[in-house]
Amino acid sequence: MTQLSQDRTAAPVSIRPDHTGLTSAQVAERVKRGETNAFKARVGRTYWQIVRDNVFNLFTIVLGSLLIVVIILRDPATAFFAGFSLVTNSILGMYQEVTAKRKLDSLAALAATDIAVMRDGQRVNIPISQIVKDDVLPIEPGDKLVVDGRILESDALEIDESQLTGESDAVFKEVDSEVYSGSFCIAGSGLMVATKVGKDSTVNNLSTIAKVYKNVLTPTQKRIAAMIEVTVVIMLIIIPMLFLASYLSGQSLLDNVRNLVVFVSSIVPQGLVLTATLSLTIGAITISRFQTLIQRVNAVESMANVTVLCFDKTGTLTRNLLTVSEIIPLGGEKAEALNARLLRYTDSLSHRNRTAAAVADYLKQPSPLAPLPHGEGNKTNTEEALSKNGAEKLKEIPFSSARKWGAVVFPDETLIMGAPERILPKDDRGYSAHASELAAKGLRVLAFASASEAPPDGHLDGKAEPLALIVLSDQIRDDIQDTLNAFHEQNVKLKVISGDNLETVRSIALASGLDVQQSYTGDQLDAMNDPELEGAVGQANLFARIEPDTKRRIIAALKRQGEYVAMVGDGVNDVPALKEAHLAISMNDGAQISKDVAEIVLLNNAMSTLPKAFEEGKMITQTIFSTMKLFLTKNYYNIVLIFFIGFMTLPFPTTPIQISWITLGTVNLPATLIAFKLLRPQYMVQFRRDVMDYILIAGTIGAVTLALLYAVVYFATERDFLAARSAVTMFIALYGTLIYFNVHGVELLRPRTLVEHWRITVAGVVVVVVTMIVPYFFAELFVFIPPTPEIWLLIIVVFLLTAVLVYVFTQYRHLINQLWALFEK
């Protein structure tokens, strides 16, 4: 996105008569032989994998096996209630994943880019899958090579093969050189003939061998996966012990299996996995409505974590519609001669980026510099120069973001165009000062110069003769002020990283409404050691004349400071920084390689959609956090309760039907409503403090008070474990509602929150009343003994005590902080 670099425009590549491509008949022959590129390495989960992961995971296999035993032992009610959540989780999970896959695949197809090939002597664009062996393909800067081939024509062609070899240096490709799919063009242009397509191409071979698709987990998904791995290990250890204990206590086989069903369904938070997957996929689809394509689902959560957004000014602050304002001759160069030399340079380029195209368009307007008299039938000097352009070129040094200039070598002279500070000599008679004055007005300024010979080793020696200053302008986006304000409201720090002149970038940034705190140039940053660089990067929010590797170093320095960095880029020169960033964002009109490495593609090429996408990402993360609190708190206190009861050698505290019904009403239903955005939880900032602390505090207190309630009722009713289980069922319904309230910011000890969130309060009361009434009507099914008034009084007292303890320990966290201190380095 820097000046001259990767601003792309359509520029014709001269085609030799013998390189006009295949005929339609030749293409048909190769299609019949199967020599096509219609092969796609696996880049996403297949339908079979979705079914497999939702149905044939360890949890469903273990619980499903136990339910089969329950059915064999003629207890269909237990099988139905305990299996209901298992079946619905699997079916709903498969349905949502398949639906999301189809929608996201269709969006990706809309964003897919066709490839240019030569067919029947014409340049046409076709889908990548329709390329056949021996097709002739033009190559231009930013193009990703999608098949293997051999170079037919090369005009200063430089290919980056780092994706394949790991070597960062570009490789110059001459005629007959081999090129490989997966590499991309960074400079120059050329033609190639396809030699290996489809499954035979290098990139598809690598993808097949490496199984390129990996289910990349978000940070929260990794936490959930780790928790499930631990619980599965605990489950496999405890199940045999629990079975043996029940057998030795004289319980029947059916009661023994029922206890195992309760334990398995309590310890593994399978519904949490479904909710997290649902939230991320629904979020990806929702964000796509903002003209934002999510290419990797982990980007949804990443957007919620962004603290710094880095971007160039071109195409973000401005519209990237470059036009030449004026061309200022230097050194007494006559207008007509200057016009001819500029045309000679631009028309000899192997590829015109937007900047060069803007100069060429300006020059070909009537009288761009001065009236050019010519009579009918006579050619001007400009037209004569134009007629021979391209034929005399000996060599081209393509523009690069590192050099900041490009040159074309002719037999009689070398013409150079690029950054004034890189081209103009030190004793330039005030030309540099004039260029700086123009740049301070927000204008982009280039220098045009000539030299008697090609720059040795690609380095200017300061002997170039200045010919002109080229002044270009761009339009600031109308909506940029609102966009910047939206980022500030979300506490996202903004940093402009540009390859343009410092004064130009600063002027445009200020005009866009950005508060420029401090600025540095690339040369200043390169002269710093690592500590100095980190200090500068942290303080400044504008960087100019930045080279690609320096851009990457800026991102890396921000990451070391603990920032979560997003990078917006659209050119080849942005690729190193995009790879370094936590979140890579590309413009849809950008170079293909930049879109390949990006997690997000802005389909409308505007940053104005990002604040909405970031806000949606935060909402999705909040959804996952809140459902984690619901599921894991329930799982934690159930597991600890089972252990407490086991230590006291009391009968098992609940049945599969009771725990399944209560969980459905107080956990599964609220979690589903949250996932579908029908409920909005209280905002949580820190995962450890707002999620893990609550799970440990509420889970521990709940387990202790539940064990107390169970023991008291058990002995008070002369060891009637059915009455004790019924009391526990009612308490869990109340406690689940308390957790639901807390997740949504409602606190019983702060009555005003009940009114402030009255919809949450009403919904919670309705759900808990229905959940608690149903066992009364189906007492035999639930093996439920309605609590006596005395037991109800005990339930309420213990519940209120529990609510007070949870409130106190979540407000004053000395003990929980002491616990975490044990794990600090």
Side-chain angles (χ1 to χ4, degrees), residues 269-314:
Q270 186 67 10
L272 178 58
V273 179
L274 170 63
T275 305
T277 303
L278 278 178
S279 300
L280 292 172
T281 51
I282 291 172
I285 294 169
T286 303
I287 291 171
S288 68
R289 298 172 187 164
F290 307 140
Q291 294 292 301
T292 304
L293 174 63
I294 305 298
Q295 299 199 119
R296 295 177 182 86
V297 72
N298 62 330
V300 175
E301 186 180 331
S302 291
M303 286 188 289
N305 298 321
V306 171
T307 58
V308 175
L309 178 66
C310 300
F311 56 92
D312 189 6
K313 67 170 183 59
T314 306

Side-chain angles (χ1 to χ4, degrees), residues 58 67 91 121 155 197 220 228 338 346 373 394 407 522 569 583 608 654 728:
L58 182 60
L67 293 178
I91 293 176
D155 192 350
V197 297
T220 303
I228 290 178
L338 176 58
T346 57
L394 301 178
L583 179 63
S608 56
T654 186
V728 165

Side-chain angles (χ1 to χ4, degrees), residues 809 811-820:
F809 278 92
Q811 294 297 313
Y812 307 99
R813 306 192 181 204
H814 175 73
L815 288 179
I816 194 71
N817 289 333
Q818 291 294 95
L819 175 64
W820 291 118

Side-chain angles (χ1 to χ4, degrees), residues 382-680:
T382 300
E383 291 169 326
E384 290 176 358
L386 183 58
S387 68
K388 63 183 180 180
N389 278 349
E392 332 172 36
K393 183 171 73 169
L394 301 178
K395 177 184 177 183
E396 179 180 340
I397 302 175
F399 177 90
S400 75
S401 298
R403 280 190 294 266
K404 302 294 184 195
W405 57 268
V408 178
V409 181
F410 301 99
D412 56 332
E413 66 176 344
T414 297
L415 297 177
I416 308 164
M417 183 182 292
E421 58 266 36
R422 298 292 177 91
I423 293 178
L424 297 177
K426 294 181 179 179
D427 52 343
D428 61 2
R429 290 169 284 182
Y431 299 150
S432 295
H434 188 36
S436 297
E437 292 174 3
L438 293 168
K441 299 177 182 179
L443 299 169
R444 177 182 287 186
V445 184
L446 303 177
F448 183 58
S450 68
S452 57
E453 57 185 15
D457 301 322
H459 296 284
L460 295 176
D461 56 6
K463 297 181 180 179
E465 180 64 30
L467 298 177
L469 292 178
I470 302 169
V471 185
L472 302 99
S473 61
D474 200 350
Q475 298 177 9
I476 294 176
R477 288 184 177 272
D478 297 333
D479 58 356
I480 192 59
Q481 183 67 69
D482 293 337
T483 302
L484 298 181
N485 289 339
F487 283 126
H488 287 306
E489 289 174 2
Q490 296 181 18
N491 296 317
V492 176
K493 289 173 276 190
L494 304 175
K495 295 186 184 290
V496 180
I497 307 176
S498 176
D500 266 345
N501 176 275
L502 177 60
E503 296 303 324
T504 301
V505 181
R506 180 187 286 119
S507 176
I508 290 177
L510 291 172
S512 301
L514 185 70
D515 180 19
V516 179
Q517 299 162 355
Q518 195 168 346
S519 58
Y520 290 96
T521 64
D523 290 339
Q524 290 174 319
L525 295 180
D526 290 340
M528 297 178 182
N529 56 34
D530 286 344
E532 291 173 337
L533 176 68
E534 290 195 19
V537 166
Q539 296 170 4
N541 63 342
L542 188 146
F543 307 91
R545 288 296 186 223
I546 302 298
E547 298 179 3
D549 189 62
T550 307
K551 193 176 295 187
R552 180 196 61 77
R553 290 179 63 209
I554 291 173
I555 303 294
L558 289 169
K559 289 170 62 178
R560 287 194 297 271
Q561 295 174 15
E563 303 286 2
Y564 201 95
V565 187
M567 171 70 195
V568 181
D570 69 351
V572 173
N573 58 309
D574 294 316
V575 169
L578 290 170
K579 287 182 176 180
E580 183 68 37
H582 290 109
L583 179 63
I585 305 169
S586 175
M587 300 291 188
N588 193 39
D589 285 348
Q592 184 60 42
I593 187 60
S594 69
K595 292 193 286 184
D596 287 344
V597 302
E599 283 92 12
I600 296 174
V601 177
L602 302 179
L603 299 178
N604 64 347
N605 301 297
M607 268 204 331
S608 56
T609 59
L610 271 183
K612 297 178 182 177
F614 281 11
E615 187 63 32
E616 183 66 25
K618 291 181 179 180
M619 290 178 62
I620 296 303
T621 302
Q622 294 301 307
T623 296
I624 298 174
F625 282 1
S626 59
T627 52
M628 286 183 75
K629 289 174 73 170
L630 286 171
F631 278 101
L632 295 181
T633 305
K634 184 268 297 183
N635 281 46
Y636 181 61
Y637 71 65
N638 273 340
I639 294 168
V640 177
L641 171 64
I642 291 172
F643 279 103
F644 285 170
I645 298 301
F647 289 141
M648 292 186 290
T649 65
L650 298 177
F652 212 73
T654 186
T655 69
I657 294 178
Q658 291 170 349
I659 195 66
S660 297
W661 174 249
I662 299 301
T663 300
L664 176 66
T666 61
V667 178
N668 289 354
L669 180 60
T672 303
L673 295 177
I674 291 172
F676 284 99
K677 302 180 182 179
L678 298 177
L679 294 177
R680 178 169 293 187

Side-chain angles (χ1 to χ4, degrees), residues 87-113:
V87 174
T88 53
N89 279 348
S90 298
I91 293 176
L92 186 58
M94 286 188 293
Y95 172 76
Q96 287 294 338
E97 280 204 69
V98 169
T99 302
K101 174 181 171 61
R102 288 177 176 173
K103 289 182 179 180
L104 294 176
D105 285 350
S106 64
L107 286 169
L110 291 175
T113 304

